[in-house]
Amino acid sequence: MNKIMEVLDNMEYGPAPEDSAIVRDWLACHEAGFGHFIDGGFTKPSDPFEVTNPATGKVIARVSQGAATDVDAAVKAARAAQPKWAALSGHDRARHLYALARHIQQHARFLAVLETIDNGKPIRESRDIDIPLVIRHFYHHAGWAEIMADEFPGATPHGVCGQVIPWNFPLLMLAWKVAPALAAGNSVVLKPAEYTPLTALALAEIAREAGLPKGVLNIVTGDGETGALITGHDGIDKVAFTGSTEVGRLIRRQIAGSGKALTLELGGKSPFIVFADADLDAAVEGVVDSIWFNQGQVCCAGSRILVAESVAARFTELLSRRMETLITGDPLEKSTDIGAIVHPVQLARIRSLVERGRAEGAQIHQGSAPSGCFYPPTFVTEVEPASTLATEEVFGPVVTLTPFRTPEDAVALANNTRYGLAGSVWSENINLAIDIAAKIKAGVIWINSANLFDAGAGFGGYRESGFGREGGREGMSAYLRHPAPRAKKPETAPPAPVATPVEGMAASAIDRTAKLYIGGKQARPDSGYSYAVAGAKGPVGLAGLGNRKDIRNAVEAAHKATGWGVQTGHNRAQVLYYLAENLSARAEEFTGRLKSFGHSGSAAKTEVEISIRRIFWYAAQADKFDGAVHQTKSAHVTLAMNEPLGVMGIACPNAYPLLGFVSLVLPAIAMGNRVVALPSQTHPLAATDLYQVIDTSDVPGGVVNIVTGERDPLAKTLAEHDDVDALWYFGTAAGAAMAEAASAGNLKQTWCEDGAARDWTTAQGQGRQFLTRATQVKNIWVPHGE
């Protein structure tokens, strides 16, 4: 039998090595080491550390460890360059980004080979996926620069952006962050990952070649200490980080109270759901594209396969058979499916977690891999939902397989994680697939597909997978500062409530016994204490002194009101219209209450009238704040759906005790959230009077919960509570810093402002910004046109 017939018989690949000579020559030219790229040029190498090729273990470069002086220089250069860059017209910035995209295209093969040598991923992936997406992001954001003034009127750049990126997609993560930052008019100080800095440095050379102005892009290499110097630097206005959840928490605490904007794209433990009617062969290929893509070193990889019990055995057989055909080996070999793990430290971690799973009783099924920094494709059965391999992010080519019986079981298992980055649903029943996609708590859902990315669609997570989006309109918006008021006289902390009896309680026809409002019922505070509410001529009533247990009860009640978020916007709107009507019917009573606090008659009347109008406005928005259909490159309809955050804590300002409460609570519940609200500490009775209106307006119990008392201790409890998904705090600067730092536990979204900054009677008190802050975007990729 001749060789051709032999190949047709055994279907074995022949050798197909990628030529790396040009990259090796480039590395040889930098044998003395790489400096930092600051103000348009490279510094002299200093304090070098070694960068190795994961596949061979050989040293391929020496890169400088960034010190405080290096970060200072980079920030200074970025600060000096940013005003001129921002002052360019959108068209002129677009021309620079188009030029950069074209130059990256011209060096695409060079960058692909360098990425593979530095990172260990197969050349097929870096050549066919990573680098084309890099180019796509620069082209796409050149377009945003061109039309920014039209699409984001009044928005301005943050200033200097500090960006820290991971090692799994070194150049692609750079593009995700640098392209929108530059398009918006920001300058950048970026730190690439310690293990994989080379394509970032190569891109710096390309940016210089393309004529990008000096100081607009600065790259400082180093380890985590260098990253901390960047994110904590006083000259940084916006921080963007992609990496581990643990480091994300550290950054959240580090910059709390600084006023820096923050976006975090963190870890994941994504479900990969296979229903009985799915195309099982296609789903198996989806597993290959998901968990065995980039050696499983993908934050959104489908690392938990959930398969219908009736087809679990067949699926396991197909998956095992497919795994045996995967080739693990030399990343520069074009037939390689799985390349090298990025570093021996990561390889040791993968091995440790798998062995821990084995000790817990899991059954380990593995393919083959050569010696060195390689790990075989692995799937694991007999895994309990709470076991190590089902809960911990392995960040390697390891996937668990768990059967389920009903769609409800699948959703429960899928959401049994502290993360919420992505998910994949496989079914030939599109109604079932979309229904399940809506129920998975994650920022990106792929239907009958996996690991699809495009600059035109946002990417980012829920819960401990971080907040903010990269790509699409929402990703561009994250690099823009939207007009926000500043307080002429910042709010100061009010005196602590006094729980002892008081003299001179003013006589009033209004009921003075104000309880808390939890789960649709009036409730006495757990403390058993009340405090006096001051008025113009002495105390006008008593309010309950809430504590941690009251917050706990309110959060539990809010979680039980899950039906509110799944109602149609129309149904929510009808309830809110009814609420406005009932408040209108009692307008005179609420005006009297505000007058008792010392408001003038006209001011009290105006506050009530605006509160009524504001409820009507948010009722109108309940069924009109729509998502979008993104134009992505692939044959998919990518649906960007606005979803409620979940359970929100809202700490209201002291001024405008009725209007401030309404202006914050109404956009939250209009979007389907449930709230635990802390009304004005000094004058909470306007809010507690409102629960009588809520009771008569068909608002389901638990949608609005009101806990009165000392604002900052209660807000801290909400910030620390792991079952609270977001926190809005309008109060003091010290309180804002506390709220942001305390929120790091579950990385909830926060919105903190000076409570005295807004004039709630004007347009500052309502708008789409409130609705945007009350929602998170889920991108659902639906096959279309295939």
Side-chain angles (χ1 to χ4, degrees), residues 736-767:
M738 171 276 296
E740 289 180 342
S743 73
N746 71 340
L747 289 165
K748 58 176 61 66
Q749 296 191 35
T750 59
W751 182 15
C752 297
E753 273 193 17
D754 190 307
R758 291 180 185 268
D759 181 352
W760 296 96
T761 64
T762 69
Q764 293 178 355
Q766 76 175 35

Side-chain angles (χ1 to χ4, degrees), residues 491-499 516 525 527 529-533 542-551 650-654 676-684 688 706-719 727 729-732 734-735 738:
E491 182 172 310
T492 56
V498 177
L516 311 184
S527 69
Y529 289 98
S530 297
Y531 69 99
V533 178
L542 299 173
L545 193 59
N547 63 16
R548 295 179 63 89
K549 186 175 180 182
D550 297 312
I551 293 292
I650 298 178
C652 299
N654 281 316
V676 177
L678 313 178
S680 167
Q681 178 179 321
T682 53
H683 296 117
T688 56
I706 302 172
V707 180
T708 58
E710 191 171 5
R711 180 181 60 195
D712 284 7
L714 295 174
K716 187 172 188 289
T717 300
L718 284 168
L727 177 67
Y729 176 90
F730 287 72
T732 66
M738 171 276 296

Side-chain angles (χ1 to χ4, degrees), residues 182-488:
L182 298 188
N186 302 284
S187 57
V188 169
V189 177
L190 177 138
K191 189 197 83 70
E194 178 184 4
Y195 296 157
T196 56
L198 298 182
T199 46
L201 295 169
L203 184 110
E205 291 186 349
I206 293 170
R208 185 172 58 182
E209 174 187 84
L212 191 70
K214 294 180 179 180
V216 171
L217 174 63
N218 304 273
I219 295 174
V220 181
T221 53
D223 58 14
E225 292 183 4
T226 306
L229 289 171
I230 293 173
T231 58
H233 198 285
D234 289 341
I236 296 294
D237 303 299
K238 148 93 180 181
V239 172
F241 172 76
T242 296
S244 72
T245 296
E246 292 73 19
V247 175
R249 286 195 184 94
L250 293 174
I251 293 173
R252 171 71 283 180
R253 295 187 180 105
Q254 179 192 39
I255 69 171
S258 66
K260 296 176 184 178
L262 175 65
T263 49
L264 298 171
E265 196 266 283
L266 307 174
K269 195 69 179 172
S270 301
F272 186 103
I273 305 174
V274 182
F275 285 97
D277 66 343
D279 181 336
L280 297 186
D281 291 309
V284 166
E285 290 306 309
V287 172
V288 174
D289 291 339
S290 184
I291 192 62
W292 294 326
F293 170 66
N294 197 23
Q295 298 73 254
Q297 298 168 146
V298 184
C299 52
C300 57
S303 54
R304 293 182 297 139
I305 300 171
L306 308 174
V307 60
E309 191 175 61
S310 60
V311 296
R314 175 60 177 162
F315 185 84
T316 303
E317 178 188 355
L318 291 172
L319 185 63
S320 180
R321 189 185 306 167
R322 181 67 176 92
M323 185 176 69
E324 292 174 358
T325 68
L326 296 175
I327 298 173
T328 303
D330 181 3
L332 286 173
E333 175 65 44
K334 296 173 187 176
S335 61
T336 293
D337 297 300
I338 299 176
I341 302 301
V342 71
H343 194 274
V345 169
Q346 179 62 17
L347 178 63
R349 183 177 186 276
I350 295 168
R351 286 172 172 167
S352 174
L353 287 171
V354 171
E355 289 309 309
R356 194 188 310 176
R358 193 191 305 273
E360 292 173 353
Q363 297 297 310
I364 312 298
H365 311 265
Q366 293 185 314
S368 60
S371 59
C373 202
F374 296 89
Y375 197 82
T378 302
F379 76 88
V380 184
T381 56
E382 304 298 324
V383 178
E384 297 297 329
S387 68
T388 297
L389 292 178
T391 57
E392 294 298 315
E393 186 180 29
V394 178
F395 225 62
V398 180
V399 63
T400 62
L401 193 152
T402 304
F404 66 85
R405 289 187 176 180
T406 67
E408 293 74 19
D409 291 341
V411 170
L413 287 167
N415 291 333
N416 182 39
T417 175
R418 63 185 184 274
Y419 300 110
L421 189 53
S424 185
V425 182
W426 295 77
S427 171
E428 293 298 286
N429 182 339
I430 194 64
N431 292 332
L432 174 63
I434 292 179
D435 176 59
I436 297 300
K439 293 175 180 176
I440 297 174
K441 295 178 180 178
V444 182
I445 305 294
W446 297 289
I447 293 178
N448 292 331
S449 55
N451 276 354
L452 296 175
F453 310 99
D454 186 73
F459 181 88
Y462 292 6
R463 302 193 288 189
E464 292 187 31
S465 289
F467 48 80
R469 295 292 181 267
E470 294 182 290
R473 173 180 287 271
E474 54 268 34
M476 180 65 182
S477 182
Y479 281 92
L480 292 168
R481 187 186 300 276
H482 301 275
R486 291 183 177 275
K488 294 181 180 178

Side-chain angles (χ1 to χ4, degrees), residues 524-763:
R524 295 185 183 279
D526 174 71
S527 69
Y529 289 98
S530 297
Y531 69 99
V533 178
K537 299 178 181 179
V540 295
L542 299 173
L545 193 59
N547 63 16
R548 295 179 63 89
K549 186 175 180 182
D550 297 312
I551 293 292
R552 184 197 69 186
N553 293 340
V555 172
E556 289 179 357
H559 270 281
K560 292 177 182 177
T562 53
W564 181 250
V566 298
Q567 285 192 28
T568 65
H570 169 76
N571 287 344
R572 289 197 300 272
Q574 302 315 296
V575 173
L576 299 186
Y577 281 129
Y578 194 18
L579 180 67
E581 292 169 3
N582 285 333
L583 178 58
S584 180
R586 297 177 61 173
E588 186 175 341
E589 174 188 329
F590 278 84
T591 300
R593 173 65 88 184
L594 294 175
K595 288 170 65 177
S596 76
F597 300 151
H599 287 44
S600 69
S602 61
K605 183 178 180 181
T606 297
E607 183 168 345
V608 174
E609 288 176 348
I610 296 174
S611 296
I612 294 167
R613 289 202 302 270
R614 198 145 286 168
I615 298 173
F616 271 109
W617 194 84
Y618 284 115
Q621 289 284 1
D623 62 352
K624 297 176 183 65
F625 189 67
D626 292 329
V629 178
H630 288 315
Q631 295 191 37
T632 47
K633 283 178 61 179
S634 56
H636 288 77
V637 173
T638 308
L639 309 174
M641 307 297 294
N642 292 323
E643 292 195 339
L645 297 170
V647 174
M648 297 177 58
I650 298 178
C652 299
N654 281 316
Y656 298 101
L658 177 63
L659 183 56
F661 181 91
V662 166
S663 298
L664 293 172
V665 169
L666 262 293
I669 64 174
M671 294 297 98
N673 299 286
R674 295 91 70 197
V675 302
V676 177
L678 313 178
S680 167
Q681 178 179 321
T682 53
H683 296 117
L685 300 183
T688 56
D689 289 347
L690 194 62
Y691 63 57
Q692 298 168 10
V693 180
I694 293 171
D695 275 341
T696 59
S697 302
D698 295 338
V699 179
V703 171
V704 178
N705 304 273
I706 302 172
V707 180
T708 58
E710 191 171 5
R711 180 181 60 195
D712 284 7
L714 295 174
K716 187 172 188 289
T717 300
L718 284 168
E720 292 173 337
H721 202 300
D722 285 346
D723 279 340
V724 174
D725 302 296
L727 177 67
W728 291 358
Y729 176 90
F730 287 72
T732 66
M738 171 276 296
E740 289 180 342
S743 73
N746 71 340
L747 289 165
K748 58 176 61 66
Q749 296 191 35
T750 59
W751 182 15
C752 297
E753 273 193 17
D754 190 307
R758 291 180 185 268
D759 181 352
W760 296 96
T761 64
T762 69

